[in-house]
Amino acid sequence: MTAAGGVAAAVRGEAGWRAEPPGRAVAATPLVETASVDGAPPRWRPAGALPASGIRVLDLTRVIAGPVATRYLGALGAEVLRLDPPDRPELPMQAYDGLLAKRSALLDFGAADGQARLDELLSGADVLVHGYRPHALDRFGLTRRPWRSGIPAWWW
């Protein structure tokens, strides 16, 4: 099919997909993970008018599910900052839907000053939401250096 210039995709049932390496990887990974970095205690914020008032969310998502999830957090009162790479900003049509209830910025994680700014933003965030594959953020040092808790880094 592809040799003739066509497009094809293999379609599997749920059991077949679960037997493939991606299906096994998803089954072995928790949907939501929590971690205490360097034994830092939880940060508590005073209750606000909405359920997520005062919670700071750093959004590193793209496409549909992640932006919708963080948009929902924003609608519940969270302060959401969405970061996109400068060479891949959000498409205008997706921005209308995916950036509601959030602030957005461009940041190059690969640049030295970009990594420093990302560290600051992570230090001020209560929640990090990302949709990257496991270890995809390693190249930016996110799994090799601890996030320093307690450094104020408010972005609004």
Side-chain angles (χ1 to χ4, degrees):
M1 173 74 71
T2 57
V7 177
V11 178
R12 297 174 183 83
E14 183 178 341
W17 183 82
R18 288 181 183 272
E20 296 289 328
R24 290 194 306 270
V26 167
T29 304
L31 180 61
V32 175
E33 295 179 87
T34 61
S36 174
V37 179
D38 291 340
R43 288 186 261 184
W44 298 103
R45 306 254 188 242
L50 295 171
S53 292
I55 295 173
R56 293 176 180 253
V57 177
L58 190 58
D59 177 356
L60 306 182
T61 66
R62 293 195 62 83
V63 190
I64 297 170
V68 169
T70 54
R71 177 184 70 196
Y72 189 64
L73 290 171
L76 290 173
E79 298 175 27
V80 181
L81 176 63
R82 160 84 179 264
L83 294 178
D84 284 306
D87 62 331
R88 219 169 4 130
E90 186 61 88
L91 299 171
M93 288 301 292
Q94 291 176 349
Y96 298 133
D97 189 46
L99 295 179
L100 289 173
K102 336 176 176 180
R103 295 172 189 254
S104 66
L106 302 177
L107 185 63
D108 182 357
F109 301 167
D113 60 336
Q115 284 189 1
R117 185 65 178 136
L118 180 60
D119 278 347
E120 285 182 69
L121 294 172
L122 285 166
S123 295
D126 298 302
V127 176
L128 169 67
V129 180
H130 75 83
Y132 289 90
R133 291 182 311 269
H135 306 293
L137 296 173
D138 288 357
R139 68 184 184 267
F140 304 116
L142 293 181
T143 59
R144 290 188 298 276
R145 62 179 185 243
W147 299 338
R148 295 180 300 275
S149 60
I151 300 173
W154 313 123
W155 51 86
W156 22 85

